[in-house]
PDB file of all heavy atoms in Angstrom:
ATOM      1  N   GLY A   1      21.397  45.664   5.939  1.00  0.00           N
ATOM      2  CA  GLY A   1      21.868  45.956   4.617  1.00  0.00           C
ATOM      3  C   GLY A   1      20.981  45.243   3.541  1.00  0.00           C
ATOM      4  O   GLY A   1      20.109  44.558   3.914  1.00  0.00           O
ATOM      5  N   SER A   2      21.395  45.394   2.276  1.00  0.00           N
ATOM      6  CA  SER A   2      20.727  44.815   1.139  1.00  0.00           C
ATOM      7  C   SER A   2      21.659  44.183   0.207  1.00  0.00           C
ATOM      8  O   SER A   2      22.933  44.530   0.107  1.00  0.00           O
ATOM      9  CB  SER A   2      19.903  45.907   0.410  1.00  0.00           C
ATOM     10  OG  SER A   2      18.942  46.505   1.199  1.00  0.00           O
ATOM     11  N   LEU A   3      21.122  43.154  -0.442  1.00  0.00           N
ATOM     12  CA  LEU A   3      21.797  42.477  -1.588  1.00  0.00           C
ATOM     13  C   LEU A   3      20.780  42.143  -2.626  1.00  0.00           C
ATOM     14  O   LEU A   3      19.557  41.987  -2.324  1.00  0.00           O
ATOM     15  CB  LEU A   3      22.578  41.209  -1.107  1.00  0.00           C
ATOM     16  CG  LEU A   3      23.877  41.329  -0.305  1.00  0.00           C
ATOM     17  CD1 LEU A   3      24.284  39.979   0.093  1.00  0.00           C
ATOM     18  CD2 LEU A   3      24.979  41.953  -1.172  1.00  0.00           C
ATOM     19  N   ARG A   4      21.314  42.098  -3.778  1.00  0.00           N
ATOM     20  CA  ARG A   4      20.459  41.494  -4.894  1.00  0.00           C
ATOM     21  C   ARG A   4      21.088  40.306  -5.595  1.00  0.00           C
ATOM     22  O   ARG A   4      22.274  40.559  -6.122  1.00  0.00           O
ATOM     23  CB  ARG A   4      20.076  42.654  -6.019  1.00  0.00           C
ATOM     24  CG  ARG A   4      19.037  42.063  -6.979  1.00  0.00           C
ATOM     25  CD  ARG A   4      18.612  43.181  -7.946  1.00  0.00           C
ATOM     26  NE  ARG A   4      19.565  43.205  -9.103  1.00  0.00           N
ATOM     27  CZ  ARG A   4      19.247  43.736 -10.210  1.00  0.00           C
ATOM     28  NH1 ARG A   4      18.006  44.112 -10.598  1.00  0.00           N
ATOM     29  NH2 ARG A   4      20.234  43.868 -11.261  1.00  0.00           N
ATOM     30  N   LEU A   5      20.398  39.207  -5.529  1.00  0.00           N
ATOM     31  CA  LEU A   5      20.919  38.077  -6.182  1.00  0.00           C
ATOM     32  C   LEU A   5      20.382  37.932  -7.626  1.00  0.00           C
ATOM     33  O   LEU A   5      19.313  38.380  -7.928  1.00  0.00           O
ATOM     34  CB  LEU A   5      20.582  36.753  -5.446  1.00  0.00           C
ATOM     35  CG  LEU A   5      20.978  36.718  -3.949  1.00  0.00           C
ATOM     36  CD1 LEU A   5      20.586  35.399  -3.346  1.00  0.00           C
ATOM     37  CD2 LEU A   5      22.465  37.016  -3.753  1.00  0.00           C
ATOM     38  N   SER A   6      21.202  37.445  -8.488  1.00  0.00           N
ATOM     39  CA  SER A   6      20.756  37.267  -9.905  1.00  0.00           C
ATOM     40  C   SER A   6      20.992  35.715 -10.210  1.00  0.00           C
ATOM     41  O   SER A   6      21.903  35.056  -9.731  1.00  0.00           O
ATOM     42  CB  SER A   6      21.572  38.052 -10.791  1.00  0.00           C
ATOM     43  OG  SER A   6      21.454  39.371 -10.594  1.00  0.00           O
ATOM     44  N   CYS A   7      20.056  35.237 -11.061  1.00  0.00           N
ATOM     45  CA  CYS A   7      20.232  33.903 -11.683  1.00  0.00           C
ATOM     46  C   CYS A   7      19.963  33.857 -13.096  1.00  0.00           C
ATOM     47  O   CYS A   7      18.807  34.116 -13.519  1.00  0.00           O
ATOM     48  CB  CYS A   7      19.158  32.982 -10.848  1.00  0.00           C
ATOM     49  SG  CYS A   7      19.087  31.219 -11.488  1.00  0.00           S
ATOM     50  N   ALA A   8      21.008  33.712 -13.898  1.00  0.00           N
ATOM     51  CA  ALA A   8      20.932  33.733 -15.337  1.00  0.00           C
ATOM     52  C   ALA A   8      20.693  32.338 -15.905  1.00  0.00           C
ATOM     53  O   ALA A   8      21.472  31.429 -15.522  1.00  0.00           O
ATOM     54  CB  ALA A   8      22.149  34.330 -15.901  1.00  0.00           C
ATOM     55  N   ALA A   9      19.719  32.243 -16.746  1.00  0.00           N
ATOM     56  CA  ALA A   9      19.330  30.887 -17.334  1.00  0.00           C
ATOM     57  C   ALA A   9      19.785  30.898 -18.793  1.00  0.00           C
ATOM     58  O   ALA A   9      19.847  31.860 -19.508  1.00  0.00           O
ATOM     59  CB  ALA A   9      17.818  30.658 -17.285  1.00  0.00           C
ATOM     60  N   SER A  10      20.219  29.640 -19.195  1.00  0.00           N
ATOM     61  CA  SER A  10      20.788  29.460 -20.542  1.00  0.00           C
ATOM     62  C   SER A  10      19.747  29.154 -21.593  1.00  0.00           C
ATOM     63  O   SER A  10      20.071  28.887 -22.679  1.00  0.00           O
ATOM     64  CB  SER A  10      21.835  28.298 -20.521  1.00  0.00           C
ATOM     65  OG  SER A  10      21.212  27.077 -20.173  1.00  0.00           O
ATOM     66  N   ARG A  11      18.451  29.193 -21.104  1.00  0.00           N
ATOM     67  CA  ARG A  11      17.439  28.819 -22.142  1.00  0.00           C
ATOM     68  C   ARG A  11      16.305  29.877 -22.038  1.00  0.00           C
ATOM     69  O   ARG A  11      16.087  30.529 -21.057  1.00  0.00           O
ATOM     70  CB  ARG A  11      16.816  27.403 -21.559  1.00  0.00           C
ATOM     71  CG  ARG A  11      15.692  26.901 -22.351  1.00  0.00           C
ATOM     72  CD  ARG A  11      15.466  25.458 -21.940  1.00  0.00           C
ATOM     73  NE  ARG A  11      14.262  24.889 -22.541  1.00  0.00           N
ATOM     74  CZ  ARG A  11      13.863  23.624 -22.396  1.00  0.00           C
ATOM     75  NH1 ARG A  11      14.712  22.737 -21.809  1.00  0.00           N
ATOM     76  NH2 ARG A  11      12.844  23.168 -22.825  1.00  0.00           N
ATOM     77  N   THR A  12      15.702  30.023 -23.211  1.00  0.00           N
ATOM     78  CA  THR A  12      14.520  30.981 -23.297  1.00  0.00           C
ATOM     79  C   THR A  12      13.325  30.333 -22.829  1.00  0.00           C
ATOM     80  O   THR A  12      13.300  29.249 -22.447  1.00  0.00           O
ATOM     81  CB  THR A  12      14.444  31.456 -24.830  1.00  0.00           C
ATOM     82  OG1 THR A  12      14.278  30.371 -25.570  1.00  0.00           O
ATOM     83  CG2 THR A  12      15.860  32.157 -25.293  1.00  0.00           C
ATOM     84  N   GLY A  13      12.220  31.126 -23.020  1.00  0.00           N
ATOM     85  CA  GLY A  13      10.948  30.664 -22.487  1.00  0.00           C
ATOM     86  C   GLY A  13      10.836  30.752 -20.989  1.00  0.00           C
ATOM     87  O   GLY A  13      10.084  30.026 -20.365  1.00  0.00           O
ATOM     88  N   PHE A  14      11.589  31.537 -20.459  1.00  0.00           N
ATOM     89  CA  PHE A  14      11.816  31.803 -19.034  1.00  0.00           C
ATOM     90  C   PHE A  14      10.622  31.959 -18.277  1.00  0.00           C
ATOM     91  O   PHE A  14      10.402  31.405 -17.126  1.00  0.00           O
ATOM     92  CB  PHE A  14      12.746  32.984 -18.889  1.00  0.00           C
ATOM     93  CG  PHE A  14      13.436  33.193 -17.593  1.00  0.00           C
ATOM     94  CD1 PHE A  14      14.545  32.467 -17.284  1.00  0.00           C
ATOM     95  CD2 PHE A  14      13.043  34.135 -16.730  1.00  0.00           C
ATOM     96  CE1 PHE A  14      15.155  32.658 -16.016  1.00  0.00           C
ATOM     97  CE2 PHE A  14      13.656  34.313 -15.524  1.00  0.00           C
ATOM     98  CZ  PHE A  14      14.741  33.558 -15.199  1.00  0.00           C
ATOM     99  N   ASN A  15       9.672  32.730 -18.809  1.00  0.00           N
ATOM    100  CA  ASN A  15       8.515  33.132 -18.049  1.00  0.00           C
ATOM    101  C   ASN A  15       7.501  32.002 -17.921  1.00  0.00           C
ATOM    102  O   ASN A  15       6.554  32.085 -17.245  1.00  0.00           O
ATOM    103  CB  ASN A  15       7.829  34.300 -18.749  1.00  0.00           C
ATOM    104  CG  ASN A  15       7.388  34.037 -20.060  1.00  0.00           C
ATOM    105  OD1 ASN A  15       8.179  33.530 -20.827  1.00  0.00           O
ATOM    106  ND2 ASN A  15       6.233  34.390 -20.488  1.00  0.00           N
ATOM    107  N   ARG A  16       7.753  30.769 -18.553  1.00  0.00           N
ATOM    108  CA  ARG A  16       6.730  29.743 -18.389  1.00  0.00           C
ATOM    109  C   ARG A  16       7.204  28.742 -17.316  1.00  0.00           C
ATOM    110  O   ARG A  16       6.398  27.860 -16.957  1.00  0.00           O
ATOM    111  CB  ARG A  16       6.740  28.881 -19.685  1.00  0.00           C
ATOM    112  CG  ARG A  16       6.305  29.730 -20.921  1.00  0.00           C
ATOM    113  CD  ARG A  16       5.960  28.730 -22.100  1.00  0.00           C
ATOM    114  NE  ARG A  16       7.107  27.986 -22.578  1.00  0.00           N
ATOM    115  CZ  ARG A  16       7.890  28.342 -23.457  1.00  0.00           C
ATOM    116  NH1 ARG A  16       7.786  29.448 -24.066  1.00  0.00           N
ATOM    117  NH2 ARG A  16       8.908  27.484 -23.808  1.00  0.00           N
ATOM    118  N   TYR A  17       8.452  28.905 -16.813  1.00  0.00           N
ATOM    119  CA  TYR A  17       8.827  27.918 -15.736  1.00  0.00           C
ATOM    120  C   TYR A  17       8.328  28.427 -14.400  1.00  0.00           C
ATOM    121  O   TYR A  17       8.322  29.563 -14.070  1.00  0.00           O
ATOM    122  CB  TYR A  17      10.390  27.909 -15.799  1.00  0.00           C
ATOM    123  CG  TYR A  17      11.039  27.628 -17.203  1.00  0.00           C
ATOM    124  CD1 TYR A  17      12.264  28.200 -17.423  1.00  0.00           C
ATOM    125  CD2 TYR A  17      10.356  27.060 -18.105  1.00  0.00           C
ATOM    126  CE1 TYR A  17      12.835  27.989 -18.575  1.00  0.00           C
ATOM    127  CE2 TYR A  17      10.915  26.809 -19.430  1.00  0.00           C
ATOM    128  CZ  TYR A  17      12.064  27.331 -19.616  1.00  0.00           C
ATOM    129  OH  TYR A  17      12.670  27.170 -20.879  1.00  0.00           O
ATOM    130  N   ALA A  18       8.266  27.384 -13.544  1.00  0.00           N
ATOM    131  CA  ALA A  18       8.176  27.673 -12.083  1.00  0.00           C
ATOM    132  C   ALA A  18       9.553  27.781 -11.623  1.00  0.00           C
ATOM    133  O   ALA A  18      10.419  26.878 -11.818  1.00  0.00           O
ATOM    134  CB  ALA A  18       7.484  26.369 -11.440  1.00  0.00           C
ATOM    135  N   MET A  19       9.957  28.892 -11.016  1.00  0.00           N
ATOM    136  CA  MET A  19      11.342  29.209 -10.634  1.00  0.00           C
ATOM    137  C   MET A  19      11.291  29.913  -9.206  1.00  0.00           C
ATOM    138  O   MET A  19      10.282  30.435  -8.760  1.00  0.00           O
ATOM    139  CB  MET A  19      11.943  30.203 -11.653  1.00  0.00           C
ATOM    140  CG  MET A  19      12.047  29.663 -12.947  1.00  0.00           C
ATOM    141  SD  MET A  19      13.044  30.839 -14.014  1.00  0.00           S
ATOM    142  CE  MET A  19      14.681  30.413 -13.357  1.00  0.00           C
ATOM    143  N   GLY A  20      12.413  29.753  -8.619  1.00  0.00           N
ATOM    144  CA  GLY A  20      12.478  30.465  -7.349  1.00  0.00           C
ATOM    145  C   GLY A  20      13.905  30.228  -6.699  1.00  0.00           C
ATOM    146  O   GLY A  20      14.938  29.905  -7.387  1.00  0.00           O
ATOM    147  N   TRP A  21      13.948  30.520  -5.364  1.00  0.00           N
ATOM    148  CA  TRP A  21      15.137  30.588  -4.594  1.00  0.00           C
ATOM    149  C   TRP A  21      14.927  29.681  -3.357  1.00  0.00           C
ATOM    150  O   TRP A  21      13.928  29.888  -2.591  1.00  0.00           O
ATOM    151  CB  TRP A  21      15.458  31.986  -4.170  1.00  0.00           C
ATOM    152  CG  TRP A  21      15.941  32.838  -5.297  1.00  0.00           C
ATOM    153  CD1 TRP A  21      14.948  33.742  -6.022  1.00  0.00           C
ATOM    154  CD2 TRP A  21      17.128  33.049  -5.878  1.00  0.00           C
ATOM    155  NE1 TRP A  21      15.698  34.275  -6.982  1.00  0.00           N
ATOM    156  CE2 TRP A  21      17.025  34.007  -6.899  1.00  0.00           C
ATOM    157  CE3 TRP A  21      18.396  32.582  -5.533  1.00  0.00           C
ATOM    158  CZ2 TRP A  21      18.107  34.455  -7.698  1.00  0.00           C
ATOM    159  CZ3 TRP A  21      19.478  33.030  -6.373  1.00  0.00           C
ATOM    160  CH2 TRP A  21      19.231  33.995  -7.426  1.00  0.00           C
ATOM    161  N   TYR A  22      15.933  28.894  -3.069  1.00  0.00           N
ATOM    162  CA  TYR A  22      16.006  28.109  -1.804  1.00  0.00           C
ATOM    163  C   TYR A  22      17.299  28.715  -1.073  1.00  0.00           C
ATOM    164  O   TYR A  22      18.186  29.287  -1.695  1.00  0.00           O
ATOM    165  CB  TYR A  22      16.203  26.617  -1.976  1.00  0.00           C
ATOM    166  CG  TYR A  22      15.000  25.828  -2.202  1.00  0.00           C
ATOM    167  CD1 TYR A  22      14.301  25.914  -3.362  1.00  0.00           C
ATOM    168  CD2 TYR A  22      14.476  25.203  -1.098  1.00  0.00           C
ATOM    169  CE1 TYR A  22      13.093  25.111  -3.580  1.00  0.00           C
ATOM    170  CE2 TYR A  22      13.294  24.343  -1.339  1.00  0.00           C
ATOM    171  CZ  TYR A  22      12.655  24.289  -2.461  1.00  0.00           C
ATOM    172  OH  TYR A  22      11.487  23.587  -2.747  1.00  0.00           O
ATOM    173  N   ARG A  23      17.313  28.417   0.193  1.00  0.00           N
ATOM    174  CA  ARG A  23      18.622  28.685   0.935  1.00  0.00           C
ATOM    175  C   ARG A  23      18.863  27.528   1.833  1.00  0.00           C
ATOM    176  O   ARG A  23      17.920  26.825   2.303  1.00  0.00           O
ATOM    177  CB  ARG A  23      18.529  29.985   1.723  1.00  0.00           C
ATOM    178  CG  ARG A  23      17.616  30.041   2.857  1.00  0.00           C
ATOM    179  CD  ARG A  23      17.580  31.389   3.462  1.00  0.00           C
ATOM    180  NE  ARG A  23      16.599  31.605   4.504  1.00  0.00           N
ATOM    181  CZ  ARG A  23      16.160  32.717   5.103  1.00  0.00           C
ATOM    182  NH1 ARG A  23      16.723  33.874   4.717  1.00  0.00           N
ATOM    183  NH2 ARG A  23      15.292  32.683   6.030  1.00  0.00           N
ATOM    184  N   GLN A  24      20.148  27.361   2.235  1.00  0.00           N
ATOM    185  CA  GLN A  24      20.549  26.317   3.143  1.00  0.00           C
ATOM    186  C   GLN A  24      21.661  26.829   4.006  1.00  0.00           C
ATOM    187  O   GLN A  24      22.693  27.342   3.582  1.00  0.00           O
ATOM    188  CB  GLN A  24      20.981  25.026   2.515  1.00  0.00           C
ATOM    189  CG  GLN A  24      21.206  23.881   3.374  1.00  0.00           C
ATOM    190  CD  GLN A  24      21.330  22.629   2.784  1.00  0.00           C
ATOM    191  OE1 GLN A  24      21.624  22.530   1.432  1.00  0.00           O
ATOM    192  NE2 GLN A  24      21.088  21.530   3.479  1.00  0.00           N
ATOM    193  N   ALA A  25      21.319  26.895   5.295  1.00  0.00           N
ATOM    194  CA  ALA A  25      22.321  27.420   6.242  1.00  0.00           C
ATOM    195  C   ALA A  25      22.942  26.081   6.872  1.00  0.00           C
ATOM    196  O   ALA A  25      22.452  25.111   6.824  1.00  0.00           O
ATOM    197  CB  ALA A  25      21.560  28.189   7.432  1.00  0.00           C
ATOM    198  N   PRO A  26      24.183  26.343   7.498  1.00  0.00           N
ATOM    199  CA  PRO A  26      24.895  25.188   7.965  1.00  0.00           C
ATOM    200  C   PRO A  26      24.062  24.450   9.100  1.00  0.00           C
ATOM    201  O   PRO A  26      23.480  25.044   9.999  1.00  0.00           O
ATOM    202  CB  PRO A  26      26.174  25.938   8.626  1.00  0.00           C
ATOM    203  CG  PRO A  26      26.355  27.126   7.773  1.00  0.00           C
ATOM    204  CD  PRO A  26      24.958  27.522   7.446  1.00  0.00           C
ATOM    205  N   GLY A  27      24.057  23.109   8.859  1.00  0.00           N
ATOM    206  CA  GLY A  27      23.351  22.327   9.883  1.00  0.00           C
ATOM    207  C   GLY A  27      21.780  22.353   9.776  1.00  0.00           C
ATOM    208  O   GLY A  27      21.064  21.793  10.654  1.00  0.00           O
ATOM    209  N   LYS A  28      21.261  22.976   8.679  1.00  0.00           N
ATOM    210  CA  LYS A  28      19.732  23.146   8.607  1.00  0.00           C
ATOM    211  C   LYS A  28      19.351  22.595   7.220  1.00  0.00           C
ATOM    212  O   LYS A  28      20.205  22.450   6.330  1.00  0.00           O
ATOM    213  CB  LYS A  28      19.461  24.622   8.754  1.00  0.00           C
ATOM    214  CG  LYS A  28      19.628  25.247  10.107  1.00  0.00           C
ATOM    215  CD  LYS A  28      19.009  26.616  10.193  1.00  0.00           C
ATOM    216  CE  LYS A  28      19.210  27.178  11.645  1.00  0.00           C
ATOM    217  NZ  LYS A  28      18.560  28.445  11.756  1.00  0.00           N
ATOM    218  N   GLN A  29      18.090  22.280   7.186  1.00  0.00           N
ATOM    219  CA  GLN A  29      17.529  21.818   5.928  1.00  0.00           C
ATOM    220  C   GLN A  29      17.309  22.918   4.955  1.00  0.00           C
ATOM    221  O   GLN A  29      17.221  24.133   5.325  1.00  0.00           O
ATOM    222  CB  GLN A  29      16.127  21.136   6.196  1.00  0.00           C
ATOM    223  CG  GLN A  29      16.244  19.844   6.953  1.00  0.00           C
ATOM    224  CD  GLN A  29      14.900  19.190   6.834  1.00  0.00           C
ATOM    225  OE1 GLN A  29      13.755  19.845   6.968  1.00  0.00           O
ATOM    226  NE2 GLN A  29      14.892  17.791   6.976  1.00  0.00           N
ATOM    227  N   ARG A  30      17.362  22.640   3.683  1.00  0.00           N
ATOM    228  CA  ARG A  30      17.133  23.651   2.651  1.00  0.00           C
ATOM    229  C   ARG A  30      15.689  24.145   2.798  1.00  0.00           C
ATOM    230  O   ARG A  30      14.760  23.470   3.011  1.00  0.00           O
ATOM    231  CB  ARG A  30      17.307  22.944   1.225  1.00  0.00           C
ATOM    232  CG  ARG A  30      17.358  23.915   0.123  1.00  0.00           C
ATOM    233  CD  ARG A  30      17.828  23.247  -1.158  1.00  0.00           C
ATOM    234  NE  ARG A  30      19.253  23.005  -1.155  1.00  0.00           N
ATOM    235  CZ  ARG A  30      19.955  22.517  -2.283  1.00  0.00           C
ATOM    236  NH1 ARG A  30      19.275  22.461  -3.360  1.00  0.00           N
ATOM    237  NH2 ARG A  30      21.204  22.197  -2.111  1.00  0.00           N
ATOM    238  N   GLU A  31      15.587  25.489   2.576  1.00  0.00           N
ATOM    239  CA  GLU A  31      14.302  26.190   2.844  1.00  0.00           C
ATOM    240  C   GLU A  31      13.967  26.970   1.573  1.00  0.00           C
ATOM    241  O   GLU A  31      14.746  27.656   1.034  1.00  0.00           O
ATOM    242  CB  GLU A  31      14.539  27.200   4.079  1.00  0.00           C
ATOM    243  CG  GLU A  31      13.356  28.146   4.294  1.00  0.00           C
ATOM    244  CD  GLU A  31      13.674  29.242   5.297  1.00  0.00           C
ATOM    245  OE1 GLU A  31      14.905  29.548   5.432  1.00  0.00           O
ATOM    246  OE2 GLU A  31      12.782  29.737   5.851  1.00  0.00           O
ATOM    247  N   LEU A  32      12.694  26.756   1.228  1.00  0.00           N
ATOM    248  CA  LEU A  32      12.166  27.654   0.144  1.00  0.00           C
ATOM    249  C   LEU A  32      11.997  29.119   0.565  1.00  0.00           C
ATOM    250  O   LEU A  32      11.314  29.271   1.505  1.00  0.00           O
ATOM    251  CB  LEU A  32      10.873  27.056  -0.293  1.00  0.00           C
ATOM    252  CG  LEU A  32      10.307  27.800  -1.632  1.00  0.00           C
ATOM    253  CD1 LEU A  32      11.169  27.809  -2.862  1.00  0.00           C
ATOM    254  CD2 LEU A  32       8.836  27.201  -1.900  1.00  0.00           C
TER     255      LEU A  32
END
């Protein structure tokens, strides 16, 4: 299946930032 995650920021100038997604599964390190 599919999902789409969203992340809304409270500040403008969005496109100038380095941004991304990490994930962390139980018992595992956070992964980029």
Side-chain angles (χ1 to χ4, degrees):
S2 298
L3 283 174
R4 188 177 79 157
L5 305 183
S6 299
C7 173
S10 62
R11 180 168 166 172
T12 58
F14 197 75
N15 57 315
R16 298 196 300 267
Y17 311 150
M19 299 190 70
W21 295 90
Y22 274 81
R23 68 185 180 188
Q24 188 165 22
K28 295 188 177 181
Q29 289 189 330
R30 191 170 289 193
E31 173 190 24
L32 180 61

